[in-house]
Amino acid sequence: MTDLKGQYQSIKAEIDGAVSRVLQHTQFILGQEVKTFEGEMAAYCGTKHAAGVASGTDALHLALLACGVGPGDEVITTPFTFIATSEAIVNCGARPVFVDIDPDTFNIDPTKMATRISPKCKAIIPVHLYGLPADIEPILSIARRHHLKVIEDCAQALGAEYKGKKVGSLCDAGCLSFFPAKNLGCYGDGGMVVTNDPKISETVEMLRKHGGKIAYYHSLPGFNSRLDALQAAILSAKLKHLDTWNDMRRRNTALYDSLLGKIQGIQVTRAPANFKSSCNYYTVRLLNPRVKRDDLRKHLDGKGIQNMVYYPLSLHLQEVYKDLGYKAGDFPESERAHAQVLSLPMYPELTEDQVREVAAAVETYVKGLG
């Protein structure tokens, strides 16, 4: 699905130099490398503050806490995403309240949100799924009417833009993931909270290091969630290439769209006007009932083409959330999506010939059905 070795080889000298620099000064936890990278990421996203943490999941968790979310509260989010989004809510002692998705974008549908807001609701987490920004303006409008915080889950969308502004800068806080397969990935786990609110940033910085501003003096119940200096140095070296890599992803997406969009029963995702995707994953819908996803996956596997299903079971139907009382049919668009989506290889180094090879393999399978 991605080629991390190829990416490393393309910038090997820069990565090796960054790692060597940290090994020489031996300041491995927080320190200047992290501070420098935080400044670079804040500038890139268009925010005033950035706080590096241990993972994208921790970024969501600490951002929620910094926004005042706690036991007994409710947080609105999508059922069609990775479990880290709802997991962070539950780990605050709050309850995830799901809202169905827009079938055209796979993102949370703002038109279905208002009826899900109760007096217990404290925040909304829109997820920019597969790299495509959620429709933020109507979400913010609803949030302002109800005095709710809005925290963007940008784990798959670093570098994406909504009406000319980078994701992460659009709401109260943005949460980034640097998992290796992301558009900007480190060589382990890492995450970040970006925000224009100094209080949120200050609280996250305290929470990530055991709830204190200085060592051995603690004001909050905190965590050990610090971004390693090695990872920050690697990410800083990679950041200068991110826009180029994202443009390469968009080029590959456009080619995929032109080839797969001609195949009957294959629906490609079209970004709305003024929405610029980071193209973290390339995902299609299989609308032809004769196209069995498992069979197509076996066909692709047989040709050496990796593929994935992000995500095969909506969160409201997961066993871990059975106590929330949701049932099949509650969010039909999410359920339809989890039965139909298929993601194909997507990374900057993917060549035109490889994209054509993948598309041809899909076409061969579909034509073989008669």
Side-chain angles (χ1 to χ4, degrees):
M1 296 297 288
T2 190
D3 184 4
L4 297 178
K5 184 177 288 186
Q7 185 186 79
Y8 166 62
Q9 292 295 336
S10 71
I11 55 170
K12 184 177 185 301
E14 295 170 68
I15 296 297
D16 290 354
V19 171
S20 178
R21 184 174 68 248
V22 177
L23 295 178
Q24 290 296 322
H25 66 57
T26 69
Q27 190 173 13
F28 297 116
I29 304 297
L30 295 178
Q32 189 57 49
E33 300 287 350
V34 173
K35 186 176 181 180
T36 297
F37 178 60
E38 288 172 340
E40 292 170 345
M41 281 307 310
Y44 181 82
C45 292
T47 60
K48 296 177 181 178
H49 308 280
V53 296
S55 69
T57 306
D58 278 4
L60 289 162
H61 184 198
L62 301 192
L64 283 164
L65 292 173
C67 286
V69 174
D73 292 333
E74 294 180 349
V75 178
I76 287 177
T77 194
T78 168
F80 192 59
T81 184
F82 184 55
I83 196 170
T85 311
S86 54
E87 194 173 51
I89 297 168
V90 171
N91 286 339
C92 292
R95 175 189 175 95
V97 175
F98 296 118
V99 170
D100 210 355
I101 62 170
D102 181 326
D104 293 328
T105 66
F106 300 115
N107 284 324
I108 194 167
D109 187 343
T111 66
K112 299 173 181 175
M113 194 174 287
T115 59
R116 305 293 294 156
I117 296 172
S118 79
K120 294 180 180 180
C121 191
K122 199 71 169 282
I124 302 170
I125 303 182
V127 180
H128 305 307
L129 199 72
Y130 303 147
L132 181 64
D135 194 0
I136 291 297
E137 282 186 358
I139 294 173
L140 283 175
S141 178
I142 292 168
R144 291 189 188 106
R145 288 201 302 271
H146 295 274
H147 308 290
L148 307 177
K149 295 290 188 181
V150 182
I151 300 169
E152 299 171 67
D153 184 339
C154 309
Q156 299 176 12
L158 185 57
E161 296 180 8
Y162 176 82
K163 299 187 177 181
K165 293 185 66 176
K166 289 279 200 307
V167 299
S169 68
L170 305 170
C171 302
D172 294 287
C175 297
L176 314 179
S177 169
F178 303 124
F179 183 77
K182 304 302 185 187
N183 294 44
L184 183 68
C186 57
Y187 295 162
D189 259 325
M192 185 167 282
V193 177
V194 293
T195 180
N196 286 311
D197 187 326
K199 182 62 176 176
I200 291 175
S201 182
E202 179 184 36
T203 304
V204 170
E205 289 177 10
M206 293 172 66
L207 289 170
R208 72 180 177 182
K209 52 181 182 181
H210 305 287
K213 292 184 179 181
I214 57 176
Y216 310 115
Y217 293 87
H218 312 281
S219 304
L220 301 169
F223 306 87
N224 180 11
S225 180
R226 300 169 294 194
L227 180 63
D228 292 344
L230 273 169
Q231 304 299 351
I234 289 164
L235 290 163
S236 186
K238 283 184 157 191
L239 179 58
K240 61 179 66 73
H241 301 281
L242 178 60
D243 284 342
T244 298
W245 288 340
N246 281 351
D247 284 342
M248 294 166 74
R249 287 174 178 270
R250 294 180 186 112
R251 177 203 66 198
N252 287 331
T253 293
L255 181 56
Y256 264 137
D257 286 349
S258 69
L259 298 170
L260 295 173
K262 299 174 184 176
I263 302 173
Q264 186 176 8
I266 304 295
Q267 180 177 296
V268 301
T269 303
R270 303 291 187 188
N274 297 320
F275 289 51
K276 192 174 185 180
S277 176
S278 70
C279 302
N280 181 234
Y281 293 132
Y282 184 81
T283 303
V284 297
R285 276 186 186 266
L286 307 178
L287 295 181
N288 185 338
R290 297 186 64 193
V291 176
K292 306 302 180 186
R293 185 169 65 187
D294 287 347
D295 290 344
L296 174 54
R297 295 192 70 193
K298 290 175 185 176
H299 173 78
L300 295 172
D301 289 341
K303 293 184 174 295
I305 298 170
Q306 193 173 10
N307 54 90
M308 292 290 290
V309 176
Y310 306 110
Y311 299 91
L313 184 65
S314 298
L315 294 179
H316 67 288
L317 300 177
Q318 297 281 348
E319 182 181 357
V320 68
Y321 295 138
K322 61 184 178 182
D323 63 314
L324 296 179
Y326 293 111
K327 63 184 184 305
D330 283 345
F331 304 108
E333 292 299 344
S334 180
E335 293 167 33
R336 193 164 70 94
H338 79 219
Q340 294 176 337
V341 294
L342 181 65
S343 294
L344 302 171
M346 172 53 65
Y347 46 93
E349 298 80 15
L350 198 66
T351 67
E352 180 178 334
D353 286 345
Q354 288 173 320
V355 173
R356 292 185 180 278
E357 180 182 350
V358 174
V362 174
E363 186 174 27
T364 298
Y365 172 80
V366 175
K367 285 186 174 179
L369 299 174

